[in-house]
Amino acid sequence: MKVIICLNTAWNLVNFRAGLIRALVAQGHEVVAVAPHDAYADRLAALGCRFVPLPMDNRGTHPGRDGLLLWRFWRLLRQERPDVYLGYTVKPNVYGSLAAHWLGIPVINNIAGLGAVFIKDGWLVKLVRGLYRLALGRSARVFFQNDDDRQMFVAGGLVRAEVVGLLPGSGVDLTRFVVAPMPVIASEARQSTKSGDMDCNGADAPRNDGHKFRFLLIARMLWDKGVGEYVEAAQLLRQRWPQAEFCLLGFVDVQNPAAISRTQMDTWVAQGHVSYLGVSDDVRTHIAQADCVVLPSYREGTPRTLLEAAAMGLPIITTDAVGCREVVQHGHNGLLCRPRDAQDLADKMERMLRLTPAQRAVMGINGRKKMEAEFDEQIVIDRYLAAVREVVGQQPGLPRR
């Protein structure tokens, strides 16, 4: 088969869909990866697929530019004539799907997260809902990454209940993201787990052993990722916890209405409360150097960075919000805080600071077990391969129609 897989950035394809692309290629399918060209586009060839650049305005909602994008999708799909179209992120899901439907190409969508648009109400939400209703109405399969989003789309009549499915996010590669060795602490932790879930009350006083305890937030630098609340929490904690450091890793000035500017980031760093680590092609090194990964997002599909941190045995702090709460069992493998509440986030971060290393290691071990049981990337890949076969009417070992 020929499979087109489309996202809003080549970076997204390389970092989140490499496993699926490799699996499709391994089964003998021709895979065409479609996205705007960026610095990561050249890496797609190593996955065995062909890259086709498609410009799209990821930041705006200008009707003229979006109309042009719809025409570009239609022209591309008419030329390529794939057996199935896999769409991810808003504009490929909407405009790519509409073009595929017009050309009679089966469509599999993935609603990875609804982003800033669905957090607020207003005319833009109504417009996006209407576009989703048009785009998903004829899709063969629509995958969601959390049950809240699935229920909202079905209840709102945006998608038919019989075509929806639920995935554990994009999954995590458990062979790449492994627990960093901590022999003494891990040994203590294994002893602690025998008594069940840990007590999160922790120590009564801050540690004073000179260790620089590192909190790390990994995300695109967007306001709705809770970056502002994270910086405010750091400001609240710095005086009481001088041995703690608060780091940020991810792109600034991205094409998104909620983007945080480089100027704003430079201002925060100059104030001395947080450190900006830039971007990384391999976050494993940064996760291994952290003590706790934090993501105070307002809403997610299922955040990949939290899956990766948990797979590497780190405790995590995130919000009791759609898509985030699925990753954390409060007090077991991390802590949940209230969304948009810097004080509550600071309280949870301080609670993490007051735990002993062995107690945090217990959380890390619990997180790794949760990833193995629920979020293995192979689960996602297998469901996609099955969906592709079903959608195009092809069974293993049978010829193409």
Side-chain angles (χ1 to χ4, degrees):
M1 290 181 287
K2 178 187 282 191
V3 180
I4 280 188
I5 178 169
C6 183
L7 287 93
N8 60 359
T9 65
W11 174 87
N12 210 327
L13 281 163
V14 170
N15 282 277
F16 294 154
R17 303 299 162 188
L20 175 59
I21 292 172
R22 289 193 190 98
L24 288 165
V25 171
Q27 291 205 346
H29 307 310
E30 177 186 356
V31 180
V32 181
V34 176
H37 189 280
D38 60 31
Y40 292 78
D42 293 340
R43 304 184 188 191
L44 287 164
L47 302 178
C49 65
R50 175 164 56 91
F51 175 69
V52 176
L54 186 75
M56 66 180 77
D57 176 14
N58 290 322
R59 188 188 294 267
T61 56
H62 189 280
R65 287 191 288 271
D66 284 357
L68 177 61
L69 177 61
L70 177 59
W71 177 78
R72 284 173 175 159
F73 268 117
W74 180 82
R75 183 179 63 176
L76 171 66
L77 292 173
R78 186 183 65 168
Q79 177 180 338
E80 293 286 345
R81 285 289 175 181
D83 293 276
V84 63
Y85 172 82
L86 310 184
Y88 301 79
T89 67
V90 177
K91 293 196 175 183
N93 269 331
V94 171
Y95 301 113
S97 298
L98 286 172
H101 294 325
W102 292 341
L103 292 167
I105 299 166
V107 174
I108 299 175
N109 299 107
N110 187 306
I111 309 300
L114 301 180
V117 171
F118 273 74
I119 293 172
K120 300 177 181 179
D121 202 3
W123 69 269
L124 186 56
V125 174
K126 293 182 175 64
L127 173 62
V128 173
R129 285 176 182 268
L131 289 171
Y132 266 129
R133 185 178 287 108
L134 284 173
L136 305 181
R138 293 167 56 192
S139 292
R141 182 78 73 254
V142 181
F143 287 119
F144 292 86
Q145 295 194 1
N146 63 72
D147 200 48
D148 293 87
D149 289 347
R150 182 193 66 81
Q151 290 186 39
M152 183 176 69
F153 269 58
V154 172
L158 308 185
V159 65
R160 292 169 291 139
E162 60 268 23
V163 302
V164 302
L166 200 60
L167 293 174
S170 54
V172 59
D173 185 346
L174 296 173
T175 64
R176 289 190 70 242
F177 291 87
V178 297
V179 178
M182 295 182 296
V184 176
I185 295 174
S187 176
E188 295 177 18
R190 280 192 291 271
Q191 294 298 319
S192 300
T193 56
K194 294 178 181 178
S195 61
D197 289 358
M198 56 169 292
D199 178 4
C200 288
N201 291 329
D204 294 328
R207 287 171 48 183
N208 192 25
D209 56 7
H211 170 75
K212 278 287 187 181
F213 187 101
R214 174 172 288 195
F215 289 103
L216 177 63
L217 188 157
I218 309 171
R220 291 176 299 154
M221 296 296 116
L222 306 175
W223 292 105
D224 53 38
K225 297 291 184 183
V227 175
E229 287 81 0
Y230 179 79
V231 174
E232 187 177 343
Q235 293 170 344
L236 292 170
L237 291 171
R238 285 283 290 177
Q239 288 186 341
R240 295 198 303 276
W241 295 87
Q243 74 273 39
E245 56 184 359
F246 307 86
C247 300
L248 296 151
L249 178 70
F251 291 99
V252 295
D253 276 331
V254 296
Q255 287 192 19
N256 190 289
I260 291 170
S261 69
R262 168 71 69 170
T263 300
Q264 177 64 75
M265 183 61 68
D266 290 343
T267 299
W268 284 334
V269 172
Q271 291 170 347
H273 300 298
V274 298
S275 299
Y276 176 59
L277 306 179
V279 299
S280 175
D281 292 334
D282 190 348
V283 298
R284 291 176 296 177
T285 301
H286 293 281
I287 294 173
Q289 294 172 350
D291 295 279
C292 176
V293 168
V294 182
L295 184 67
S297 181
Y298 302 168
R299 186 187 188 108
E300 293 284 332
T302 299
R304 178 71 169 267
T305 56
L306 293 186
L307 302 184
E308 293 168 347
M312 290 186 66
L314 264 69
I316 53 183
I317 298 174
T318 191
T319 46
D320 188 6
V322 173
C324 297
R325 65 173 71 100
E326 282 77 8
V327 185
V328 173
Q329 182 180 339
H330 184 71
H332 183 68
N333 67 308
L335 300 173
L336 294 173
C337 66
R338 292 190 293 270
R340 304 173 186 261
D341 190 333
Q343 181 60 64
D344 191 51
L345 173 60
D347 291 344
K348 297 306 189 298
M349 293 168 77
E350 184 161 26
R351 188 173 176 183
M352 187 67 68
L353 281 161
R354 291 184 180 277
L355 297 176
T356 66
Q359 287 174 316
R360 285 191 294 271
V362 170
M363 281 190 169
I365 290 172
N366 291 339
R368 173 69 187 192
K369 291 177 179 177
K370 186 175 179 67
M371 296 305 103
E372 292 171 349
E374 302 175 31
F375 292 95
D376 189 341
E377 181 186 47
Q378 195 58 48
I379 298 172
V380 178
I381 292 172
D382 290 344
R383 290 183 186 173
Y384 255 98
L385 295 176
V388 166
R389 288 195 299 267
E390 179 184 351
V391 163
V392 300
Q394 182 182 22
Q395 297 298 323
L398 296 181
R400 268 180 58 180
R401 292 190 304 172

